[in-house]
Amino acid sequence: DAKTTQPTSMDCAEGRAANLPCNHSTISGNEYVYWYRQIHSQGPQYIIHGLKNNETNEMASLIITEDRKSSTLILPHATLRDTAVYYCIVYIQGAQKLVFGQGTRLTINP
Amino acid sequence: NAGVMQNPRHLVRRRGQEARLRCSPMKGHSHVYWYRQLPEEGLKFMVYLQKENIIDESGMPKERFSAEFPKEGPSILRIQQVVRGDSAAYFCASSPSREYEQYFGPGTRLTVT
């Protein structure tokens, strides 16, 4: 079973920052926070991951709270192509399987 | 560098037939994972393989399903005697090692009529 809680759906205006929250209050010290997204019915796309520190790449930023019980994925300038289901996953590296929850359905509106 | 390739992209089988789904991992990736996504549901892990070895098949149905990843060639997910409940999208992912993120292919959509 997924160890994360995410809102079922969110809306964001095109060009604005999309902030997707995730609660993972039972996360262990050696578990990472991973984010994937699935656009329409395509294969999931890796976005970013982190352990304790905030992370940034060309796609997004990941902010992890100091107690690691929650995190936020930030898409800085959302476009219509960012409309997708976003999955927050806690994962021990080397654990072999990703456990997907229901995710957040993000809709970017023009 | 080509991504994970899956074929066929769409597969239609009648009940009782066999379905063979193929996955070619990214270049340099020797770890392959199969996931299944039933309609309107999330992805569920099925099996994890390295070259010639099944490492974890805890998500595989006990009967009719098998997977292999031979020394040469793609990984194969085989479903014997398909039933309507097998209709789903089957995704393959690969990684260079267990510690790296998994990269997914476009999926094979199986429809059982």
Side-chain angles (χ1 to χ4, degrees):
Chain A
D1 292 301
K3 297 171 65 174
T4 62
T5 305
Q6 298 177 252
T8 303
S9 63
M10 292 182 64
D11 284 86
C12 179
E14 188 179 17
R16 305 296 275 268
N19 297 288
L20 291 89
C22 179
N23 286 324
H24 31 80
S25 57
T26 61
I27 193 169
S28 303
N30 59 349
E31 287 182 313
Y32 286 70
V33 179
Y34 275 70
W35 283 83
Y36 281 79
R37 72 181 181 183
Q38 188 173 26
I39 297 173
H40 194 43
S41 52
Q42 298 176 20
Q45 179 187 22
Y46 165 78
I47 302 173
I48 199 167
H49 74 278
L51 182 63
K52 303 184 205 181
N53 301 319
N54 299 337
E55 302 287 344
T56 296
N57 63 20
E58 65 279 3
M59 287 184 68
S61 294
L62 175 60
I63 308 297
I64 302 175
T65 57
E66 195 168 338
D67 63 7
R68 304 211 321 125
K69 292 183 186 297
S70 65
S71 60
T72 302
L73 179 75
I74 301 172
L75 307 178
H77 304 286
T79 70
L80 298 178
R81 286 177 293 181
D82 292 321
T83 292
V85 178
Y86 286 76
Y87 297 99
C88 170
I89 300 168
V90 293
Y91 177 65
I92 298 174
Q93 286 192 334
Q96 301 162 187
K97 60 183 131 183
L98 295 168
V99 178
F100 289 83
Q102 294 304 307
T104 295
R105 185 171 297 275
L106 175 68
T107 302
I108 306 300
N109 300 306
Chain B
N1 189 10
V4 177
M5 311 278 282
Q6 289 188 250
N7 68 80
R9 297 291 304 276
H10 299 274
L11 182 62
V12 180
R13 285 285 178 266
R14 289 200 180 96
R15 279 180 297 170
Q17 291 185 318
E18 178 179 287
R20 280 186 179 240
L21 289 63
R22 295 176 187 75
C23 169
S24 297
M26 289 178 70
K27 188 176 180 180
H29 289 196
S30 59
H31 299 247
V32 165
Y33 314 79
W34 285 93
Y35 293 80
R36 176 167 69 173
Q37 186 170 32
L38 294 168
E40 305 302 322
E41 293 190 16
L43 285 87
K44 298 280 193 261
F45 168 81
M46 298 182 76
V47 63
Y48 161 46
L49 310 101
Q50 291 182 44
K51 282 287 187 181
E52 300 185 275
N53 291 305
I54 296 174
I55 307 301
D56 181 354
E57 54 182 348
S58 59
M60 288 275 271
K62 294 285 185 286
E63 298 176 350
R64 302 187 297 108
F65 285 71
S66 62
E68 63 177 11
F69 188 17
K71 188 175 178 182
E72 301 290 337
S75 174
I76 306 287
L77 180 68
R78 182 181 176 207
I79 311 172
Q80 295 179 287
Q81 298 176 314
V82 295
V83 300
R84 287 225 172 98
D86 297 332
S87 295
Y90 292 82
F91 293 99
C92 164
S94 74
S95 68
S97 76
R98 288 166 56 170
E99 285 71 37
Y100 277 76
E101 54 271 15
Q102 298 175 24
Y103 292 90
F104 284 79
T108 293
R109 273 140 194 89
L110 172 66
T111 302
V112 179
T113 62

